[in-house]
Amino acid sequence: MSLSLTKKDLRSIYKEKRMALSQDEVNFLSKKIFEQFILQFNVIENQKVNVFLPIEKFNEINTQIFIDYFFDKKVRVFVPKIQGEKMISVEIFPNSEFEINKWGIKEPISNIDANIELDYVLTPLLYCDQFGNRIGYGKGFYDYFFSRDLKIHNKIGLNFFSPNEDIADFFEKDVAIDGLITPSEFIGFTIK
């Protein structure tokens, strides 16, 4: 039987766990997560993947490994960009220029919302339970993004930690992810 905790408690616990990781551990575990992704998914040329750019000071997963791989495979790469209270998806290229937003997140200078069907959205999170309910930083950007009229085939969370507790207070408007990749496993919830 799983312990059930509030989002606030889980957010605090998993922020602390992640901040306790050294940079070497973050890089090693990020590589393991990337290897799990490669084992599970066979991305092909011209597929479209939205992948988050990490907030390094928060020890987020190093997704540059994914981006380099996608460019090498001729996969189209998109990244999130915050505009007001909303998040859009902007296509990037190897020569794209970036800036740091007010939250310390690297974003493309371009403001062109791709607004297209995406094969994968690689999603950051602090925690995900065994049902695909995710906890981020609480701003709701990904819930908004997932509720747009975009067709997203696979919403895949990336996390250093496996689901051990249930989320006691998730809301109906919270959008669950389809799968979770940790350094040691892939857990499918509703993979299409």
Side-chain angles (χ1 to χ4, degrees), residues 4-39:
S4 190
L5 298 172
T6 66
K7 286 182 181 181
K8 181 180 177 185
D9 290 339
L10 288 165
R11 193 173 280 124
S12 176
I13 290 166
Y14 284 93
K15 266 188 191 176
E16 190 174 311
K17 282 185 175 195
R18 196 167 65 191
M19 292 308 293
L21 297 172
S22 71
Q23 192 57 54
D24 285 343
E25 288 172 313
V26 167
N27 289 332
F28 175 77
L29 295 171
S30 295
K31 188 172 185 234
K32 291 293 187 189
I33 290 168
F34 170 72
E35 289 167 359
Q36 287 292 330
F37 177 84
I38 298 305
L39 284 173

Side-chain angles (χ1 to χ4, degrees), residues 152-173:
I152 299 172
H153 294 277
N154 295 293
K155 300 178 293 292
I156 308 297
L158 306 180
N159 199 7
F160 294 128
F161 310 105
S162 295
N164 295 313
E165 297 89 14
D166 290 338
I167 301 171
D169 58 345
F170 70 90
F171 302 108
E172 277 186 30
K173 289 189 178 186

Side-chain angles (χ1 to χ4, degrees), residues 118-186:
L118 294 163
D119 296 288
Y120 300 93
V121 175
L122 302 185
T123 309
L125 49 91
L126 284 165
Y127 182 73
C128 176
D129 70 14
Q130 62 185 337
F131 306 106
N133 300 306
R134 63 175 288 281
I135 297 175
Y137 293 108
K139 302 288 185 195
F141 291 123
Y142 275 86
D143 289 320
Y144 163 78
F145 184 72
F146 291 149
S147 66
R148 290 175 62 188
D149 288 335
L150 300 174
K151 182 163 185 168
I152 299 172
H153 294 277
N154 295 293
K155 300 178 293 292
I156 308 297
L158 306 180
N159 199 7
F160 294 128
F161 310 105
S162 295
N164 295 313
E165 297 89 14
D166 290 338
I167 301 171
D169 58 345
F170 70 90
F171 302 108
E172 277 186 30
K173 289 189 178 186
D174 292 344
V175 180
I177 55 177
D178 301 315
L180 174 68
I181 298 176
T182 72
S184 61
E185 66 184 332
F186 169 76

